[in-house]
Amino acid sequence: MGFKPFLEGGIAAIIAGALTHPLDLIKVRMQLQGEHSVSLDQNPNPNLVLDHNLPVKPYRPVFALDSLIGSISLLPSSIHAPSSSTRSVMTPFAVGAHIVKTEGPAALFSGVSATVLRQMLYSATRMGIYDFLKRRWTDRLTGNFPLVTKITAGLIAGAVGSVVGNPADVAMVRMQADGSLPLNRRRNYKSVVDALERIARQEGVSSLWRGSWLTVNRAMIVTASQLATYDHVKEILVAGGRGTPGGIGTHVAASFAAGIVAAVASNPIDVVKTRMMNADKENYGGPLDCAEEGPMALYKGLVPTATRQGPFTMILFLTLEQVRGLLKDVKF
């Protein structure tokens, strides 16, 4: 297993991650919308007295469903989250504009240091392992690398990469979400190193792998759909005479298709992962708690996910192809 595929994948992923970081931040903020039904600063029932000197934990329902005929919820009848008819829906552009207005333009790059570290660990690992498995499993006589084999390689590579990169992922989500929290709940991490150190010290080292099983599942889905789709579409275009292996048009078309497939496939588990990673130690008893607004909550942030995943994937593979060209004669 050579080092060069890991380096090539890491360089491409860092560039793609840094350039699309604002889109990822907007996606995270949208996925967290509607997450909390009750806060200490807001009392929806004037007849209910909240003692702000006591630690009050909101009653978080395991299941909640708004519909045209009513609402099913495990919340007490006196405390209800806004129904779907009254809850405002913000577009990615509106969320981005709100962040700039309330937190400043620099806020769009909150947590970018964690993104760089995450790409160094997660993406470099998954892309290096995928390339290794691709070389091992490609038929030497025919050059055939079946789609099922591509998907299997992606699943394995994604799982290993996610375990390696999970601490940086937790730090990134926390740093991206911080500006949306009330002032008294913000963590105000100074950097990814500060975030990792404080999380480990205050919540335990195991907290750096909070939601890791979700991260593993998401990474398996993303890597299998993203890398397998890119390779397969590229092969189809070349075989059909509609592109060349080194053609930029082929790379753009294949990477665009890969980004859309990865976004749609991974969004539900990405929402659950984001909410669990952002939660304090005592919040969320399980993944069902993360969809308390109903099943469609799992597709919150789909538009910004696709908006981010498309450009990210295109930049990732276009950069990767260029880096491969630059390093093709370099031996490691």
Side-chain angles (χ1 to χ4, degrees):
M1 185 184 294
F3 175 71
K4 188 158 68 170
F6 293 85
L7 178 62
E8 293 168 344
I11 293 173
I14 288 171
I15 293 173
L19 291 177
T20 59
H21 183 80
L23 297 174
D24 193 49
L25 184 142
I26 291 172
K27 177 204 73 174
V28 168
R29 295 289 182 90
M30 292 189 73
Q31 289 175 338
L32 294 174
Q33 284 181 7
E35 181 187 25
H36 302 290
S37 300
V38 182
S39 72
L40 296 180
D41 301 320
Q42 180 182 11
N43 184 354
N45 181 4
N47 296 319
L48 179 65
V49 178
L50 295 180
D51 186 351
H52 291 265
N53 295 319
L54 296 175
V56 181
K57 180 183 177 184
Y59 190 104
R60 306 187 65 85
V62 173
F63 176 78
L65 174 65
D66 291 322
S67 68
L68 295 176
I69 60 174
S71 174
I72 303 174
S73 176
L74 295 184
L75 283 170
S77 60
S78 58
I79 305 177
H80 281 289
S83 67
S84 57
S85 60
T86 60
R87 188 183 299 122
S88 61
V89 178
M90 299 183 71
T91 64
F93 180 80
V95 172
H98 178 74
I99 292 171
V100 172
K101 181 179 179 180
T102 58
E103 303 172 45
L108 291 174
F109 284 90
S110 297
V112 71
S113 60
T115 292
V116 171
L117 178 61
R118 177 178 180 267
Q119 299 302 341
M120 288 173 60
L121 298 175
Y122 162 63
S123 287
T125 301
R126 73 185 180 112
M127 297 186 74
I129 291 177
Y130 179 83
D131 185 84
F132 169 75
L133 295 175
K134 179 180 177 180
R135 293 173 185 271
R136 290 291 299 270
W137 292 349
T138 297
D139 191 294
R140 297 183 183 276
L141 296 178
T142 64
N144 186 36
F145 187 41
L147 178 59
V148 174
T149 310
K150 292 185 181 81
I151 293 173
T152 303
L155 292 173
I156 295 172
V160 177
S162 67
V163 173
V164 174
N166 202 82
D169 209 355
V170 172
M172 183 187 71
V173 169
R174 294 278 189 96
M175 294 174 76
Q176 288 178 330
D178 213 38
S180 65
L181 298 173
L183 290 175
N184 64 334
R185 291 186 56 204
R186 292 184 185 179
R187 291 126 176 171
N188 297 315
Y189 298 129
K190 297 176 182 178
S191 66
V192 63
V193 175
D194 179 51
L196 294 173
E197 188 274 331
R198 284 173 54 187
I199 293 171
R201 174 166 45 85
Q202 297 172 359
E203 305 174 39
V205 175
S206 62
S207 292
L208 293 173
W209 276 270
R210 174 176 294 138
S212 59
W213 68 273
L214 289 166
T215 310
V216 168
N217 280 275
R218 177 191 177 275
M220 291 172 68
I221 293 172
V222 169
T223 304
S225 58
Q226 190 182 64
L227 300 185
T229 300
Y230 178 77
D231 276 350
H232 203 66
V233 171
K234 185 178 173 181
E235 289 174 4
I236 291 174
L237 291 174
V238 172
R242 287 170 286 183
T244 59
I248 191 169
T250 305
H251 301 159
V252 170
S255 60
F256 179 79
I260 297 300
V261 172
V264 174
S266 66
N267 200 83
I269 198 165
D270 194 33
V271 171
V272 177
K273 182 206 74 148
T274 296
R275 292 187 171 192
M276 289 196 71
M277 285 184 170
N278 185 54
D280 293 326
K281 189 174 182 180
E282 69 274 8
N283 286 343
Y284 288 132
L288 289 178
D289 288 357
C290 300
E292 59 182 17
E293 307 98 288
M296 291 310 297
L298 296 176
Y299 274 94
K300 281 195 171 183
L302 176 60
V303 172
T305 295
T307 303
R308 183 261 181 185
Q309 194 70 262
F312 173 85
T313 306
M314 291 176 69
I315 296 172
L316 173 69
F317 286 116
L318 288 173
T319 305
L320 179 63
E321 298 286 359
Q322 298 304 311
V323 172
R324 282 174 174 170
L326 292 172
L327 300 179
K328 65 179 180 180
D329 295 325
V330 179
K331 302 297 182 181
F332 289 98

